[in-house]
């Protein structure tokens, strides 16, 4: 058995060793923990499952196609003495091409759109002559070239994934047109030529079509226009055309 003073000395030594070990462990744990940092998630991080939005915001588009049919008002009727002279237009295919600038509002299923629709419209006007309702051999031909600018107010419809978006709307604006190389052939076969003239007036249209989006910013579209020119010079008081175009649209 150890003497009493030796036992007390040993106990004090053990307490000192344990105390030192405890302090060392505390210092080590504090060093390993390091400095605490708080991270705030960025508000700009998009959720992984966020849907792709097709066809939103501002855009520019190119379009090209054809006027596939034309019609004029019945005002091309003249009383010549006891007889009635009338001109009736034949359908001729013409070229249409131009630009569009617009903005799509919102990202829902139904999206309002405002668009500036500008295009060149060229067609050969071709009229047969009728006297008292009977067709004669007479004919009038002229190249009718015009430029039009209309503000379209439309609705786009985004269904499903949004890659296919139909649209429909109306437009109103104006046009400027010129008739060139006017040639008149009498029933007897005699031909006369004149330089024609120019004019301008109100234009309005009904439009409908569909966009097929290649990606969220680019689409290929087809569109039909029922176009109306008021006071269209040689074509009578009203010239209407059915137009079909193919185009490409870029959003930015």
């Amino acid at each position: 058995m150890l003497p009493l003073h030796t036992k007390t000395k040993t106990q004090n030594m053990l307490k000192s060793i344990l105390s030192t070990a405890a302090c060392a462990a505390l210092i080590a744990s504090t060093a390993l923990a390091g400095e605490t940092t708080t991270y705030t998630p960025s508000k700009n991080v998009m959720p992984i499952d966020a849907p792709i939005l097709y066809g939103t915001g501002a855009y520019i588009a190119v379009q090209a196609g054809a006027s596939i049919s034309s019609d004029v008002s019945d005002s091309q009727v003249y009383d010549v003495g006891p007889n009635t002279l009338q001109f009736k237009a034949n359908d001729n295919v013409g070229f249409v091409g131009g630009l569009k600038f617009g903005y799509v509002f919102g990202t829902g299923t139904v999206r309002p759109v405002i668009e500036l629709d500008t295009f060149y419209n060229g067609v050969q006007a071709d009229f047969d002559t009728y006297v008292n309702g009977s067709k004669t051999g007479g004919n009038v031909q002229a190249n009718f070239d015009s430029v039009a600018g209309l503000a379209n107010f439309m609705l786009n419809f985004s269904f499903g994934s949004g890659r296919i978006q139909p649209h429909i709307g109306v437009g109103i604006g104006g046009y400027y047109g010129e008739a060139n190389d006017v040639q008149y052939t009498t029933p007897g076969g005699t031909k006369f030529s004149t330089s024609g003239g120019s004019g301008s007036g109100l234009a309005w249209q009904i439009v409908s079509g569909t966009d097929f989006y290649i990606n969220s910013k680019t689409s290929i579209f087809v569109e039909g226009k029922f176009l109306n020119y008021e006071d269209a010079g040689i074509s009578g008081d009203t010239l209407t055309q059915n137009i079909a175009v193919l185009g490409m649209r870029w959003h930015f």
Side-chain angles (χ1 to χ4, degrees), residues 11-56:
Q11 290 176 344
N12 290 336
M13 186 180 295
L14 289 174
K15 289 180 180 180
S16 178
I17 293 172
L18 292 175
S19 177
T20 302
C23 290
L26 180 61
I27 294 171
S29 63
T30 303
L32 291 173
E35 185 178 343
T36 303
T37 304
T38 302
Y39 293 94
T40 303
S42 172
K43 295 181 180 180
N44 296 324
V45 176
M46 182 177 291
I48 296 177
D49 59 349
I52 298 175
L53 295 175
Y54 294 92
T56 60

Side-chain angles (χ1 to χ4, degrees), residues 108-127:
T109 301
V110 181
R111 304 173 183 178
V113 179
I114 295 179
E115 176 183 85
L116 175 61
D117 190 4
T118 62
F119 51 86
Y120 161 80
N121 182 6
V123 65
Q124 185 181 59
D126 183 8
F127 300 87

Side-chain angles (χ1 to χ4, degrees), residues 61-229:
V62 295
Q63 58 180 334
S67 58
I68 55 180
S69 66
S70 303
D71 195 11
V72 296
S73 65
D74 293 333
S75 63
Q76 295 291 103
V77 180
Y78 305 92
D79 292 326
V80 182
N83 300 311
T84 298
L85 177 64
Q86 183 178 9
F87 296 93
K88 290 186 177 181
N90 297 311
D91 288 335
N92 288 316
V93 176
F95 173 76
V96 174
L99 298 173
K100 291 172 173 279
F101 307 89
Y103 193 92
V104 180
F105 295 89
T107 58
T109 301
V110 181
R111 304 173 183 178
V113 179
I114 295 179
E115 176 183 85
L116 175 61
D117 190 4
T118 62
F119 51 86
Y120 161 80
N121 182 6
V123 65
Q124 185 181 59
D126 183 8
F127 300 87
D128 289 329
T129 59
Y130 291 75
V131 175
N132 298 328
S134 298
K135 184 177 180 180
T136 70
N139 177 268
V140 178
Q141 289 185 340
N143 294 323
F144 185 65
D145 301 301
S146 65
V147 290
L150 299 97
N152 292 336
F153 303 91
M154 304 186 299
L155 292 176
N156 284 8
F157 301 93
S158 177
F159 301 114
S161 67
R163 280 188 176 271
I164 299 178
Q165 294 188 20
H167 62 266
I168 188 169
V170 296
I172 187 167
Y175 77 93
Y176 173 80
E178 292 184 350
N180 300 301
D181 299 326
V182 181
Q183 296 185 358
Y184 175 67
T185 303
T186 67
T190 303
K191 293 184 178 182
F192 300 92
S193 297
T194 181
S195 59
S198 62
S200 60
L202 175 71
W204 60 267
Q205 64 182 357
I206 300 172
V207 297
S208 64
T210 302
D211 281 78
F212 304 88
Y213 278 88
I214 303 169
N215 54 50
S216 62
K217 298 293 185 182
T218 307
S219 75
I220 296 173
F221 67 90
V222 292
E223 186 173 85
K225 311 174 192 282
F226 176 76
L227 178 65
N228 185 298
Y229 282 170

